[in-house]
Amino acid sequence: MPNSFTPQAAGDLNYLKSLNRSTILSTARRHPGLSRADIALETGLTKATVGSVVQTLVERGWLREGELHARGGGRPGRALYLDGDRHYMLGAEVGVKGLRLVACNLVGEILASCHLEEPPSDPVTTATCLAKLLNQLREAPAIAGRRCLGLGVAVPGPVSPTAPILSLAPNLGWIDVDFLALLREEPDLPDGVWLLDNEANAAAFGEFYFFEGMPPESLAYISADIGIGCGVVSGEHFPVVPRGYQGLVGEIGHTVIQPGGALCHCGNRGCAETLVSGWALRESLGLDIDDSLSASVRARAGEADVQALIQRAGEALGLLMLNLHHTLNPSMLILGGSLMWLKGPLIEPALAYFEAHQNDLLRQSQSVPIKIIEDSTFTAARGAAAQVMARAAIEV
Amino acid sequence: MPNSFTPQAAGDLNYLKSLNRSTILSTARRHPGLSRADIALETGLTKATVGSVVQTLVERGWLREGELHARGGGRPGRALYLDGDRHYMLGAEVGVKGLRLVACNLVGEILASCHLEEPPSDPVTTATCLAKLLNQLREAPAIAGRRCLGLGVAVPGPVSPTAPILSLAPNLGWIDVDFLALLREEPDLPDGVWLLDNEANAAAFGEFYFFEGMPPESLAYISADIGIGCGVVSGEHFPVVPRGYQGLVGEIGHTVIQPGGALCHCGNRGCAETLVSGWALRESLGLDIDDSLSASVRARAGEADVQALIQRAGEALGLLMLNLHHTLNPSMLILGGSLMWLKGPLIEPALAYFEAHQNDLLRQSQSVPIKIIEDSTFTAARGAAAQVMARAAIEV
DNA sequence: ATCATTTAGTTAACAGATTTTACTAACCAT
DNA sequence: ATGGTTAGTAAAATCTGTTAACTAAATGAT
């Protein structure tokens, strides 16, 4: 059952209808090609109910009928798929280094995208700029004739769990920004579901929602960028991103892993971010925020202290993964963010540390698959779009 | 909406009925004394629905009518309360140092309790012993005439999220024990809901479910005992304990907070448990597992190195609390477990560390209330009983 | 004391959801 | 072709919460 399906727990017949519609839709999403009868079996609903619900979902452009099943026996079932042709969602990421935008369809394919490599200034200017780019994106031919389900925006900082407000983005210098309100001031933007979420949460959600193949029970997406954060998702039909009381779930960059260590910009010593983050590594290498970290590291790859620095960062990342496993215990780990451009020299020590320090609690059980996203340019933006779809799907 | 309400997401009319009944019951639990009309307002259901549901809940002994409301205006409402007189739940903790048993009623009052201070040996003997004690407990006069809702058992180790099996209890030397199956072999035990859960999870659930006054949005219960673990709960009407993929959520004792530090029994170095746990402190003081830690510490309170040891343990606990806050972000922290007998010398450094290291991410928002349970003898057992009630309540 | 007013709670008719049951559709093996 | 099997649909039945009208019980003004 969904945790975030409706704000209140009690429900009427309308609610029940909507719940079952969403469940059927979700079943079709997670198992493409099932027939009505398969879905009935899978969900526990009757053929009659599934039949009538599927009919409305097809009419409204959420599902499409595919080929006939070819398993012997009686009458073959008609395969059902999410309809990728009649809707789209907008997703955007306001990143420290620029804006990234995507439009994608119900199966997670990116229909059009755009990125502007220019650090955002103040919220108002950024909103205006983003609105302009969004409207440009909507002109893309791949989108023509589709209905827009809404807009999701990912931001580099914790978002209040009770209101769509960015509490703090240290790397942008923004505090308590109601970014969606600013966007609403802009002309010509589409209606629909509007969402704001933390960048790591959005990315995690997207990777989970649009997972190719058998989706994991849960996953954590570690976003290793200027700062380091993490988003968690779990839940079969209605994936839930735990946010915690103040939206700090997954703020692992500020967990202390080296008491008395280097001073962090948060005021504490020994935060994970002092060892592994675009911020700390640039500082150690004497780079500016705009400099390319991976290029510099590659250029100085021969220097022993640079090697040691990256090695230490990798090990810290591995330690974070281990600690994450003992606190959030996801069934899969995904590594993303611009630090992945450092590739092997960072990633290998991280994986090695993680492997080498599996303790009794873990060794018993099967190991945790780890996926690395080398280019996560649009991961968060696409994830924000996925969140829009998930929300829109419960209203249909 | 509940996360653990039913295994499948789709629902029929029966499900809807059960959902609303549970929601009404939960509303009465969380706000004792509301009238039918108040509950209707609170849940969004109509007076008619609430009226009919309340009638059956009163008939079945879950709710009782109380006094008339005294607010001016029209006809006064009739206050409703959970009925503490017609049911009871059994809760038991299989602890490293012995067995603890309680029987409690729907409002969380302990009607009868029992504890045996003798370390459990093998699972079978322990099950036999526990069954005997449970049946003794059921003879208690305070229980006479009540219906038993079931039995919850708390154990000192992770429980598989998919089956009620204790995966690993290092301090008991138990591995993959199906303790409930062993209990089922014993004669004369009552029917009803049977549950097995980790001790910290059970304690956390109980503190949340039977919270006196306005319950927090979520809470984490840190169990500081021989080992150190943590349980998390959140969810208004249907509190959920996240368990993770392998039941390791909250196994914070094995998060590494001092890389290269002392060797832990899990094989790694620098686990939190090497700094703050009954196990590590006893080892440092040269004590046996059966010795009283708090007595020894009090006896040697004058020694500087003992003071320093406890101080360091307290600081490590504070650090754990801080890291917990940045990963699980509960709205309230509860400290329990036998280490709390060390009182001020342990607790004060922990609180001081936690206060002193609030960083920007936290300082913004309101501070986190911390509650200390000095005597948590029956906390986990009562929590297990609470879990039984929660489960039974959705079936009524 | 009586009456209007207000709120609480109940009752009966209603609308809407899923299920049940029966049916038709479509394929395969004999 | 025919029987067996599975997919999907249609109509009746069942059960849910809602709506609307009612009764019940208190307050306060007359």
Side-chain angles (χ1 to χ4, degrees), chain B residues 285 293-311 342 345:
Chain B
L285 293 167
L293 180 63
S294 58
S296 304
V297 168
R298 252 195 307 281
R300 296 168 60 181
E303 301 176 28
D305 54 343
V306 171
Q307 283 176 11
L309 183 75
I310 305 298
Q311 163 101 16
L342 293 175

Side-chain angles (χ1 to χ4, degrees), chain B residues 91-106:
Chain B
E93 178 183 7
V94 178
V96 177
K97 288 196 234 141
L99 303 178
R100 285 89 190 261
L101 293 78
V102 300
C104 56
N105 65 8
L106 298 190

Side-chain angles (χ1 to χ4, degrees), chain A residues 272-290:
Chain A
E273 275 195 15
T274 62
L275 291 163
V276 50
S277 69
W279 168 80
L281 290 177
R282 280 192 177 76
E283 192 166 86
S284 301
L285 293 168
L287 298 175
D288 202 67
I289 183 78
D290 295 326

Side-chain angles (χ1 to χ4, degrees), chain B residues 161-175:
Chain B
T162 50
I165 291 172
L166 171 59
S167 326
L168 180 74
N171 300 316
L172 290 177
W174 295 7
I175 292 180

Side-chain angles (χ1 to χ4, degrees), chain B residues 10-250:
Chain B
D12 55 7
L13 291 171
N14 245 315
Y15 165 81
L16 189 61
K17 182 92 189 183
S18 158
L19 175 68
N20 287 343
R21 203 162 44 204
S22 308
T23 304
I24 287 169
L25 198 53
S26 149
T27 306
R29 169 178 63 84
R30 301 182 346 114
H31 306 285
L34 291 192
S35 67
R36 289 161 175 80
D38 295 331
I39 292 178
L41 212 68
E42 179 78 20
T43 59
L45 297 166
T46 59
K47 287 193 299 175
T49 305
V50 173
S52 88
V53 169
V54 164
Q55 192 183 345
T56 76
L57 287 173
V58 169
E59 283 165 6
R60 298 185 191 180
W62 286 81
L63 290 181
R64 66 176 174 81
E65 296 192 315
E67 79 289 354
L68 286 175
H69 284 176
R71 51 170 177 253
R75 169 178 170 178
R78 176 70 67 178
L80 295 167
Y81 297 94
L82 284 185
D83 189 338
D85 295 334
R86 295 186 44 191
H87 293 100
Y88 75 99
M89 302 82 71
L90 291 170
E93 178 183 7
V94 178
V96 177
K97 288 196 234 141
L99 303 178
R100 285 89 190 261
L101 293 78
V102 300
C104 56
N105 65 8
L106 298 190
V107 291
E109 291 164 354
I110 294 181
L111 303 170
S113 68
C114 154
H115 58 131
L116 176 72
E117 293 296 330
E118 188 183 306
S121 52
D122 63 301
V124 176
T125 317
T126 306
T128 306
C129 176
L130 179 59
K132 206 169 295 173
L133 292 174
L134 281 170
N135 279 327
Q136 276 175 31
L137 196 70
R138 290 172 66 207
E139 304 290 325
I143 290 175
R146 294 164 183 267
R147 188 164 81 91
C148 180
L149 294 177
L151 164 66
V153 180
V155 288
V159 169
S160 159
T162 50
I165 291 172
L166 171 59
S167 326
L168 180 74
N171 300 316
L172 290 177
W174 295 7
I175 292 180
D176 286 328
V177 174
D178 188 347
F179 194 72
L180 293 185
L182 297 178
L183 268 183
R184 253 183 271 275
E185 306 272 309
E186 302 295 326
D188 303 325
L189 287 175
D191 286 335
V193 174
W194 282 37
L195 295 172
L196 185 80
D197 202 354
N198 172 272
E199 156 263 328
N201 286 343
F205 190 93
E207 292 304 302
F208 189 77
Y209 200 71
F210 289 139
F211 197 88
E212 288 175 41
M214 186 61 192
E217 181 266 344
S218 58
L219 72 77
Y221 176 92
I222 298 181
S223 164
D225 224 289
I226 304 297
I228 189 157
C230 158
V232 195
V233 212
S234 66
E236 294 204 324
H237 290 291
F238 305 95
V240 171
V241 178
R243 287 151 207 289
Y245 185 50
Q246 299 134 320
L248 298 182
V249 166

